[in-house]
Amino acid sequence: MRGIQITNKLSALLKDSMSYIRRNRDIFWAFIWSAGFMTLLLWNFLFLNSSAFSLVYKAFGNSLFSAFAVITFSTLLGFGFTYLSYFSRVSGNKYLGLGTQFFINLIKSIPQILGILAGYIYANYLIIRDMTPGSLPVLVLLSFSISLFVFPEIYDLMQERIKYFERKDFVNAMLCCGINRYRIIFLDVLLVNSRFHLFHKIISIFGITIFLQCSVDFIISVGLSTDISAANLPVTLGSLLAKMDSKQDVLAVSNIWTDPFYIFELFFVHLQGISIAFLIVFTLFSIYKISNGFFSRKDLF
């Protein structure tokens, strides 16, 4: 009897969990992405040779690390420049305010691809001259170069949220209560009342990072010069997809137009390139769905 009760409770818990996942599209797509990744991991473990298997998932791990590092740097830079902007406005230091806004506008005026490419070139310069202790510092440097050109999105969001609450009685009422101005702005306004907006932006930046990283890796792979090469940089999904064997695997998809049964060979003979392409496209698509689902679930209109 006790075993039946435990089974019924577990069944009800599982049913409620699946119902909750289906109702919330962001959680649903996070579950789909995780399930798809685990399925691909198992398939590659069974049918992909060990060296290619380790290379694919090292590239995937490096790309994920870079994306989370970009999120961290972008958030810190966003808070830092928001503080400078707000401090200059409160203190009346117009030179600091103009300097801060000039730097933000300068960053926005530079195309993201070109700015990030400059960071990659500098990292490549350090690698060629053996000035980096390993691949981890290079990944951090590349992540910082990406965050430098995407953090204005977080900065703009914070400025919008601050102006939104300053138009209401929220800020003035707390100031009348004697609460510190900076505590109101950075704790109550940004961290408490704008946390869902910030998290939604962070989700978007995660997808943007994967896209920009793959784009720059592709540009580098076409051969800008004899000194700048993706082979000198830590392997990522973009750089691995740009390799000749991966390109050939992806181009092999065209064979199914003349031989439809060739599709079965794609998942065995050309597994490396197909896996990388699937990881990139599926991750970007899932992030897009998660971002939209989270936006709708939290009513961030």
Side-chain angles (χ1 to χ4, degrees):
M1 181 66 68
R2 184 176 179 82
I4 295 176
Q5 291 177 346
I6 294 175
T7 302
N8 290 337
K9 289 181 179 180
L10 291 176
S11 177
L13 179 62
L14 180 61
K15 184 178 180 180
D16 292 340
S17 300
M18 295 304 297
S19 177
Y20 178 78
I21 291 174
R22 286 195 300 268
R23 288 196 310 269
N24 300 284
R25 304 305 295 176
D26 54 333
I27 299 176
F28 173 77
W29 276 101
F31 176 79
I32 292 295
W33 181 83
S34 301
F37 171 73
M38 294 305 297
T39 302
L40 182 66
L41 177 67
L42 178 61
W43 187 267
N44 283 354
F45 178 76
L46 293 175
F47 300 106
L48 189 62
N49 65 79
S50 58
S51 59
F53 177 83
S54 61
L55 190 61
V56 168
Y57 288 96
K58 182 180 179 181
F60 184 66
N62 287 341
S63 295
L64 285 185
F65 174 83
S66 181
F68 283 112
V70 168
I71 289 172
T72 303
F73 287 134
S74 299
T75 304
L76 292 176
L77 288 170
F79 271 100
F81 278 90
T82 299
Y83 175 83
L84 291 177
S85 178
Y86 188 74
F87 175 78
S88 65
R89 184 153 56 93
V90 171
S91 64
N93 190 334
K94 63 178 182 178
Y95 296 106
L96 178 61
L98 289 173
T100 301
Q101 194 58 46
F102 174 79
F103 181 79
I104 295 294
N105 292 336
L106 179 64
I107 291 296
K108 290 180 179 180
S109 67
I110 301 174
Q112 288 180 324
I113 291 293
L114 295 181
I116 296 169
L117 184 60
Y120 272 62
I121 293 173
Y122 178 68
N124 194 81
Y125 170 84
L126 296 179
I127 293 173
I128 292 175
R129 284 156 180 78
D130 295 326
M131 298 172 65
T132 56
S135 61
L136 182 60
V138 176
L139 275 176
V140 172
L141 176 61
L142 296 178
S143 301
F144 181 78
S145 68
I146 296 175
S147 64
L148 194 61
F149 292 92
V150 299
F151 90 89
E153 296 190 22
I154 293 183
Y155 171 83
D156 289 339
L157 174 62
M158 290 181 177
Q159 294 298 313
E160 292 175 4
R161 298 301 294 172
I162 291 173
K163 292 178 181 178
Y164 172 80
F165 279 97
E166 284 182 334
R167 290 194 298 265
K168 297 181 175 294
D169 296 330
F170 178 83
V171 174
N172 291 330
M174 296 188 75
L175 286 173
C176 292
C177 294
I179 301 176
N180 183 275
R181 181 184 299 271
Y182 295 98
R183 179 189 183 279
I184 297 172
I185 295 300
F186 291 96
L187 179 61
D188 297 296
V189 172
L190 294 180
L191 292 180
V192 176
N193 290 286
S194 303
R195 64 186 185 278
F196 294 136
H197 295 80
L198 290 173
F199 189 71
H200 174 257
K201 181 61 67 175
I202 285 173
I203 295 174
S204 301
I205 287 178
F206 185 93
I208 290 172
T209 300
I210 298 295
F211 174 78
L212 289 174
Q213 189 182 67
C214 293
S215 300
V216 174
D217 284 334
F218 177 80
I219 293 173
I220 294 175
S221 71
V222 301
L224 297 178
S225 72
T226 57
D227 295 328
I228 304 171
S229 172
N232 298 328
L233 302 171
V235 61
T236 61
L237 288 177
S239 63
L240 193 56
L241 183 63
K243 291 183 178 296
M244 184 58 65
D245 51 351
S246 297
K247 290 179 181 178
Q248 291 175 346
D249 290 339
V250 175
L251 291 174
V253 176
S254 62
N255 292 332
I256 63 176
W257 294 106
T258 56
D259 183 10
F261 292 101
Y262 193 79
I263 190 172
F264 298 106
E265 294 191 32
L266 294 178
F267 303 105
F268 297 95
V269 180
H270 306 285
L271 188 54
Q272 176 178 315
I274 297 298
S275 297
I276 299 167
F278 174 80
L279 278 173
I280 295 173
V281 175
F282 184 58
T283 298
L284 291 176
F285 182 77
S286 298
I287 292 298
Y288 170 77
K289 288 292 188 178
I290 292 170
S291 177
N292 287 348
F294 185 81
F295 187 88
S296 300
R297 182 162 67 93
K298 296 300 182 180
D299 294 327
L300 303 179
F301 296 97

